[in-house]
Amino acid sequence: MRTNRTFTMIKPDGVANNYIGAILNDITAAGFKIIAMKYTQLSPSLAGKFYAIHAERPFYNDLVSFMSSGPIVAAILEKDNAVADFRTLIGATDPAKADAGTLRNKYAASMSENAVHGSDSNANAEIESAFYFTAFEQF
Ligand code: UDP
Ligand code: MG
């Protein structure tokens, strides 16, 4: 299993608040290389599939509705130890608990609208990357 790639989305709030450039700049400044990237919008059905792992959680319906509410930026990132290092860069799920300087601390307003997604394992990084990108779209 690959250990040097992770998958990210700039969520609808991050895009709506005009943070695409700032977030991508922080990501590349932290040493991540962009292997694939797409500016797109999820339908409710696709958002539901992407977050199917959370289907039984109380926040699932709100999450699906939020994630399909506007455009997002999806990307595959490459760096040694990508999954763990990117989780460190984005910070805690709740921006109020995210360390200073993390993406969620800098760009997110709430636990639900928290600006950035990051894969939580190498296996999920592969599944989530394949959800958006074919092999021909990965460089
Ligand atoms: N989420 C939410 N309320 C919660 C927990 C999570 O709205 O109590 C949303 C939030 O957008 C989060 C996403 O669901 O980023 C996925 O949750 P997870 O626990 O996987 O957090 P993450 O891995 O994104 O930090
Ligand atoms: Mg997660």
Side-chain angles (χ1 to χ4, degrees):
M1 168 105 21
R2 222 186 247 287
T3 59
N4 64 340
R5 287 192 180 184
T6 191
F7 171 81
T8 186
M9 289 182 283
I10 302 174
K11 297 186 179 185
D13 61 314
V15 172
N17 291 326
N18 242 351
Y19 289 139
I20 294 176
I23 290 171
L24 290 178
N25 189 57
D26 284 4
I27 289 172
T28 52
F32 292 89
K33 185 178 169 204
I34 297 170
I35 297 301
M37 188 160 66
K38 203 170 273 189
Y39 188 37
T40 186
Q41 182 163 352
L42 290 166
S43 64
S45 162
L46 280 174
K49 281 186 186 134
F50 185 90
Y51 282 108
I53 192 166
H54 294 311
E56 304 306 322
R57 309 279 287 276
F59 57 82
Y60 177 70
N61 287 339
D62 287 343
L63 176 61
V64 168
S65 145
F66 164 60
M67 286 303 297
S68 57
S69 67
I72 56 118
V73 175
I76 303 174
L77 306 174
E78 191 171 87
K79 181 184 183 298
D80 287 348
N81 200 34
V83 167
D85 284 2
F86 193 67
R87 293 294 301 201
T88 301
L89 180 67
I90 67 178
T93 308
D94 181 354
K97 295 179 182 148
D99 289 344
T102 60
L103 299 181
R104 283 166 168 170
N105 168 263
K106 289 168 75 174
Y107 305 115
S110 73
M111 177 95 160
S112 52
E113 305 200 1
N114 56 6
V116 189
H117 168 83
S119 304
D120 63 4
S121 67
N122 291 318
N124 283 335
E126 274 194 28
I127 291 166
E128 293 171 0
S129 296
F131 187 90
Y132 280 93
F133 300 103
T134 68
F136 298 104
E137 296 173 307
Q138 302 182 29
F139 306 97

